[in-house]
Amino acid sequence: MVDAAQFADARAIAPVTAVQDRRAGDMGLLVECEEAGIAHVRCFPLGGGGSPLGTVRPGKVAARLGAPTARARSPH
């Protein structure tokens, strides 16, 4: 999760156009993003989101390719 300090640090370094976060728990961060016109995007990583359902398809692809699940999720 991105916290207020990380967000402030990032904005001090370069313009921020979007914040990608695994959960929307910090309402202050959401309000700050909204006021600044910065998008807040939920992150749903395939096979790594902590949900057993998120690992089924990448796991099957990885098995078929003989690769680790993380590699099946990666576009590289």
Side-chain angles (χ1 to χ4, degrees):
M1 182 167 153
V2 176
D3 63 29
Q6 292 169 323
F7 186 53
D9 288 346
R11 292 184 77 190
I13 295 169
V16 175
T17 58
V19 174
Q20 186 176 26
D21 211 346
R22 286 189 181 214
R23 60 187 182 118
D26 184 349
M27 288 305 294
L29 179 62
L30 290 173
V31 169
E32 191 173 348
C33 284
E34 181 179 14
E35 289 173 351
I38 296 171
H40 186 276
V41 183
R42 293 287 307 268
C43 175
F44 295 99
L46 293 174
S51 166
L53 294 176
T55 60
V56 174
R57 178 162 281 160
K60 287 181 180 179
V61 171
R64 188 176 72 235
L65 298 174
T69 301
R71 183 71 178 134
R73 294 187 308 244
S74 172
H76 306 293

